[in-house]
């Protein structure tokens, strides 16, 4: 890789942000006199509509601060005190690795490899096998069938809806095509903070400059509100009722694209009969939806008019509304509206699904895995309850977690801790002393993004590849996940199979060299894009569905789904109410924060200072509880208790409170979480098809001193 031009003794080293984020961004580490002095952005990269620069957010620019975080683990640590007390002693790498190998060998000798829970999940980069969960899974694939974790915590119901309706992951359009939109509806979607796809907010702003109308539908006025002409506050969990009323208005006013429905979909009659009340006697009028959603009937009519008359329309649903007890119906309703408005397969429109570019996967050779898969799989959301149930045979004796703060990131944090405490041996690969590390018997210090080689692809939104070098030596005795698992593989007898004779740099070079036509640019610049033509997803299908059928039974978009019924979900995208909020309670939302990638950046003091962690509460709900802005409040439900300051704001609709996820669990002596970990308050409830339902939580809120 080439470094950029230097001035005097200044060196500029390109690298990539490898956080678990919907974007991937280019950065430059600036070193002076060999010392890392700041993080910058690349100069001179072309900035066009087709290939805009991948501009980093504050999280990317703050990578340097992580190197010196006070929570950093610098040496292998072995527990000396009770779990959770943080009492550890330093041990050598040899001692630590031997201990892990001895525990694994003992379990293998007993013939019960499934007694090991492979703790992976949200947190680290999604590289092919170098870091975090990917590296851990690959390691165990050579060792034996373990207990794995499954169940998509991020977009379970959207993926399912795409399977049912499109026959698989739908081929979305390039984000740059949003510039052609005349109407963009961010429905429970907050690209300014969640960055689902590089430059999404840039393209939305471009569209707006060209005259597009932008509408945000959300219980909160998020940072994406600045992109919008209109904010429609809504009661969480009722989006499908709003969609049904919009559909009613589209029908009533003849704003439905019947030609598209007839040519490209099946099953619309059943949905039309539902919204008109033919099938159940209840017409889904704006007045009907007003009482359910808290959205005024006139606002619903206006929204329907926009959707029916401003073409092309891009409906961009977020993933938050599907993390509810009725979550399956939201993405299905969005896809149904996209079909009714004829938005699928056109420039500036979209399929209203995940937004992933199916045909734009950056090519890269993989790392061959071993013969073993998971012997059994527990759900990511409910694994702790399973471990504690006593029903597992063999019971889980050992947990190995890498690239995940599993205590923090799974619903019901206190149960997660109980589950770890029941296990005989817990080992974590971690850069920081997280709440999960505090529960471990052994903590192995892991190198950060700036300290290791990495190669990875952009998420599904476009086709970038990134090769990121280390720009500084690992702090203390920190090592990479790959090094740790290589050394364990050596002790357990499969070093050659695991490494295939390559160290990390050699693996990265090997993969970059295998990146097809983009290899040269990737090796030279550290970033490359596969294609440069703007792509409109499903354009061919729209023009000729017979010649370009979808992989559904009918070859068309199916609005009635027998597979949904088999999963316990209605056949069409009907509104299914959530359990009502108990008297005196408020609905709790726990979205991602722009200042963290899950819980990874909790240890970045620069970022956390930008916005103090607090519970968003409406002025109306605060007044009813005599809560003033900044005062500490007690937030409680059956799962736990959190004490945090209140942020009294008009930016959240009454009846709803919001606590960003990702701050670390920090219990006091009474078990009250002073760290404000959102999952202290979320439970194990699942939707009918086993999607997580963290946004269905309810809490009481009161002033701390009352
Ligand atoms: S966190 Fe995401 S948006 Fe921010 S710099 Fe990293 S990849 Fe880019």
């Amino acid at each position: 890789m080439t470094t950029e031009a230097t001035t005097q003794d200044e060196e500029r080293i390109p690298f990539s942000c490898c956080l678990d984020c919907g974007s991937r961004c280019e950065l430059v580490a600036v070193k002076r006199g060999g010392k890392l002095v700041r993080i910058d952005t690349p100069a001179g990269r072309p900035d066009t509509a087709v290939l805009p620069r991948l501009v980093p957010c504050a999280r990317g620019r703050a990578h340097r601060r992580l190197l010196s975080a006070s929570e950093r683990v610098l040496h292998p640590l072995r527990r000396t005190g009770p779990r959770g007390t943080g009492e550890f002693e330093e041990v050598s790498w040899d001692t630590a690795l031997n201990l892990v190998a001895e525990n694994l060998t003992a379990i293998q000798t007993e013939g019960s490899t499934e007694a090991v829970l492979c703790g992976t999940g949200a947190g680290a980069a999604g590289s092919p096998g170098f870091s975090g969960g990917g590296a851990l899974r690959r390691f165990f694939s050579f060792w034996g069938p373990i207990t794995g974790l499954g169940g998509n915590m991020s977009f379970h119901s959207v993926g399912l809806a795409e399977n049912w309706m499109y026959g698989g992951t739908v081929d979305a359009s390039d984000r740059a095509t949003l510039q052609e939109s005349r109407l963009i509806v961010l429905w429970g979607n907050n690209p300014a903070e969640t960055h689902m796809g590089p430059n999404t907010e840039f393209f939305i702003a471009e569209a707006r400059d060209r005259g597009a109308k932008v509408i945000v539908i959300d219980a909160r006025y998020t940072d994406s509100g600045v992109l919008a002409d209109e904010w429609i506050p809504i009661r969480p969990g009722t989006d499908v009722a709003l969609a049904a009323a919009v559909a009613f208005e589209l029908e009533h006013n003849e704003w439905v694209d019947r030609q598209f429905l007839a040519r490209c979909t099946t099953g619309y009659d059943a949905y039309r009969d539902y919204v008109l009340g033919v099938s159940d006697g209840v017409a889904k009028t704006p007045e009907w939806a007003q009482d359910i959603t808290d959205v005024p009937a006139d606002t619903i009519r206006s929204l329907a008019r926009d959707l029916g008359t401003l073409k092309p329309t891009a409906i961009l649903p977020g993933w938050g509304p599907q993390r509810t007890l009725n979550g399956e119906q939201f993405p299905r309703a969005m896809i149904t509206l996209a079909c009714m408005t004829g938005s699928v397969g056109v420039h500036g429109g979209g399929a209203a699904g995940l937004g992933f570019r199916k045909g734009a996967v950056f090519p890269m050779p993989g790392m061959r895995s071993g013969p073993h898969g998971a012997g059994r799989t527990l759900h990511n959301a409910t694994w702790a309850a399973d471990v504690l149930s006593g029903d597992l045979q063999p019971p889980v004796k050992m947990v190995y977690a890498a690239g995940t703060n599993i205590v923090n990131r799974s619903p019901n944090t206190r149960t997660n801790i109980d589950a770890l405490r029941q296990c005989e041996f817990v080992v974590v690969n971690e850069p920081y002393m997280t709440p999960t590390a505090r529960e471990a018997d052994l903590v192995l210090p892991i190198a950060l993004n700036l300290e290791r080689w990495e190669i990875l692809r952009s998420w599904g939104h476009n086709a970038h590849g990134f090769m990121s070098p280390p720009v500084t030596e690992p702090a203390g005795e920190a090592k990479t996940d790959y090094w740790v698992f290589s050394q364990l593989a050596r002790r357990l007898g499969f070093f050659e199979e695991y490494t295939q004779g390559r160290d990390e740099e050699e693996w990265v070079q090997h993969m970059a060299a295998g990146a097809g036509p983009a290899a040269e640019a990737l090796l030279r610049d550290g970033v490359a894009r596969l294609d440069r033509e703007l792509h409109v997803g499903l354009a061919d299908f729209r023009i000729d569905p017979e010649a370009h059928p979808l992989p559904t039974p009918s070859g068309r978009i199916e609005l009635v789904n027998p597979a949904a019924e088999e999963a316990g979900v209605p056949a069409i995208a009907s509104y299914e109410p959530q359990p009502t909020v108990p008297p005196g309670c408020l609905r709790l939302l726990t979205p991602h924060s722009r200042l963290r990638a899950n819980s990874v950046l909790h240890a970045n003091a620069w970022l956390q200072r930008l916005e103090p962690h607090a519970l968003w509460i409406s002025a109306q709900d605060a007044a009813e509880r005599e809560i003033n802005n900044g005062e500490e409040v007690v937030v409680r439900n059956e799962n736990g208790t959190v004490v945090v300051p209140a942020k009294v704001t008009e930016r959240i609709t009454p009846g709803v409170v919001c606590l960003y996820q990702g701050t670390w669990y920090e219990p006091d002596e009474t078990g009250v979480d002073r760290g404000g970990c959102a999952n202290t308050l979320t439970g194990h409830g699942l939707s009918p098809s086993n999607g997580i339902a963290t946004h269905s939580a309810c809490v009481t809120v009161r002033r701390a001193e009352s």
Side-chain angles (χ1 to χ4, degrees), residues 437-457:
R438 283 203 302 264
E439 300 296 328
D441 296 278
L442 198 59
V443 185
L444 305 181
I446 297 301
L448 294 169
N449 195 160
L450 286 167
E451 301 170 333
R452 64 168 195 256
W453 280 100
E454 192 62 88
I455 187 163
L456 69 171
R457 306 176 172 105

Side-chain angles (χ1 to χ4, degrees), residues 16-27 54-61 63 193-195 198 201 594 596-597 601:
S16 309
C17 180
C18 300
L19 292 168
D20 188 14
C21 159
S23 292
R24 299 283 188 228
C25 296
E26 297 176 271
L27 292 151
L54 302 172
V55 181
C57 73
R59 294 175 292 184
R61 293 169 190 265
H63 270 285
E193 297 186 66
T194 56
H195 300 282
E201 61 271 42
R594 67 192 162 92
R596 291 178 289 277
L601 299 176

